[in-house]
Amino acid sequence: MNILPEIRSSSEIYSYMGQGSLKGVPISGILGDQQAALVGQTCFKDGQAKNTYGTGCFLLYNTGSQPVISEHGLLTTVAYKLGKTTPAVYALEGSVAIAGAVVQWLKDNIGIIEKSADIEKLAASVQSTAGTYFVPAFSGLYAPYWQTDARGVICGLTQFTTKAHIARAALEAVCFQTKEILDAMNQDSGIPLSSLQVDGGMTANNLLMQLQADILAIPVVRPSMTETTALGAAMAAGMAVGVWSFDEKPITTDTFMPVLPLAERDQRFAKWKQAVQRSMHWESYANDENIKGRPVV
């Protein structure tokens, strides 16, 4: 593809600071946000992946030196190129529009929690969602659906549903969306992931991490340094000037092992898929000229 720019190294001295207190300091690392997190998580082998939990979720899966063109709604991207003479490494990328933002919505719009951190205690006060499923498609659905006309829905409400059930369903929604992306990556790559490395602000929520392990049915590994985007950028810059090598692995502090029976996991995931279908095409349906003015039934 001659129209595309040349892939240059992520770890190379490009220039030096020209003024100020950093004058003379080399500019030696260049990585995008999620690519930096992949490096910070030391996902240097084919089949390794990381998921960053912030306002949204961003999952990158290392596919090695050959780009894999997705057939399941994912994006193919350059991951990194660590040195002038080393080959570029590619990745599959999947993104979730609403992750931590759903917690913010519950706090600011609905008022069921006072602080974002309160959601863990509230969600942990019940053993399950009691059949409640929350699809936070506030601005549509990203990977693997790419449905801009989807809208948020909460399904399975009964007279016994409480704010705790909705809070837990919101956390599970983050995990189910991650599973859908990971399933697509496994299909595209042909290499099923054996564990998922995680980072970002939401990973401080232990309940969320356990739910994620249960829903994926693989271990979820959280490093001691959860702000791996900054770490990865520093690692790329440091390697270029000989500060450190990539042989050093960050120490992981927590591994969350799946404990949910697979039959229950599959049943809950099937119900999640039903809820997703109910969120689809909501906006286009509401704007359909044939139904405008009709009573809602």
Side-chain angles (χ1 to χ4, degrees):
M1 298 290 288
N2 295 329
I3 63 171
L4 296 178
E6 177 187 356
I7 297 173
R8 298 294 299 270
S9 173
S10 309
S11 180
E12 174 185 341
I13 297 176
Y14 282 99
S15 187
Y16 296 85
M17 297 295 292
Q19 58 185 353
S21 59
L22 297 179
K23 183 177 181 179
V25 173
I27 301 170
S28 55
I30 178 168
L31 283 165
D33 189 5
Q34 302 310 318
Q35 287 82 354
L38 193 72
V39 170
Q41 288 274 25
T42 63
C43 293
F44 298 136
K45 296 179 181 178
D46 297 15
Q48 289 186 313
K50 69 86 200 171
N51 196 26
T52 298
Y53 297 76
T55 303
C57 270
F58 302 92
L59 204 160
L60 257 66
Y61 184 109
N62 186 328
T63 62
S65 59
Q66 295 298 320
V68 173
I69 306 303
S70 176
E71 297 180 356
H72 299 91
L74 305 175
L75 304 177
T76 301
T77 186
V78 177
Y80 52 79
K81 176 177 163 64
L82 299 178
K84 290 183 180 180
T85 60
T86 60
V89 172
Y90 297 86
L92 287 169
E93 180 175 9
S95 55
V96 171
I98 303 294
V102 73
V103 179
Q104 195 76 14
W105 183 81
L106 290 175
K107 178 175 74 74
D108 295 341
N109 294 41
I110 307 301
I112 67 172
I113 51 176
E114 292 186 3
K115 305 187 301 294
S116 294
D118 293 342
I119 194 170
E120 181 173 6
K121 182 178 180 180
L122 178 60
S125 68
V126 291
Q127 292 299 308
S128 73
T129 66
T132 303
Y133 290 84
F134 188 169
V135 183
F138 300 148
S139 55
L141 292 169
Y142 284 14
Y145 296 105
W146 300 110
Q147 292 286 332
T148 59
D149 58 358
R151 288 297 179 267
V153 297
I154 302 177
C155 300
L157 296 175
T158 72
Q159 68 192 75
F160 303 107
T161 303
T162 69
K163 62 182 181 180
H165 296 118
I166 294 173
R168 193 176 182 101
L171 294 183
E172 287 195 355
V174 176
C175 302
F176 282 128
Q177 290 178 99
T178 297
K179 175 173 169 52
E180 295 214 77
I181 292 175
L182 199 55
D183 286 351
M185 288 183 171
N186 287 338
Q187 293 178 70
D188 279 332
S189 68
I191 308 173
L193 198 66
S194 59
S195 66
L196 178 66
Q197 292 167 246
V198 299
D199 56 74
M202 285 192 83
T203 60
N205 187 320
N206 290 329
L207 175 61
L208 174 67
M209 295 295 94
Q210 185 57 55
L211 290 171
Q212 188 68 89
D214 286 340
I215 288 170
L216 295 180
I218 58 175
V220 168
V221 181
R222 180 178 62 191
S224 55
M225 169 60 166
T226 58
E227 297 301 329
T228 53
T229 295
L231 177 61
M235 289 169 65
M239 181 184 179
V241 296
V243 172
W244 57 46
S245 73
F246 288 137
D247 295 332
E248 304 167 28
K249 280 197 78 135
I251 298 172
T252 59
T253 57
D254 294 295
T255 298
F256 297 85
M257 301 299 296
V259 295
L260 187 70
L262 288 180
E264 183 179 345
R265 189 278 308 260
D266 292 343
Q267 183 270 333
R268 285 163 58 180
F269 186 54
K271 295 292 286 185
W272 160 261
K273 299 281 276 187
Q274 288 182 30
V276 169
Q277 289 303 312
R278 282 159 172 75
S279 77
M280 294 283 197
H281 311 299
W282 189 270
E283 191 66 19
S284 59
Y285 178 80
N287 293 327
D288 191 332
E289 291 294 335
N290 294 323
I291 65 169
K292 281 184 178 178
R294 293 185 186 178
V296 177
V297 295

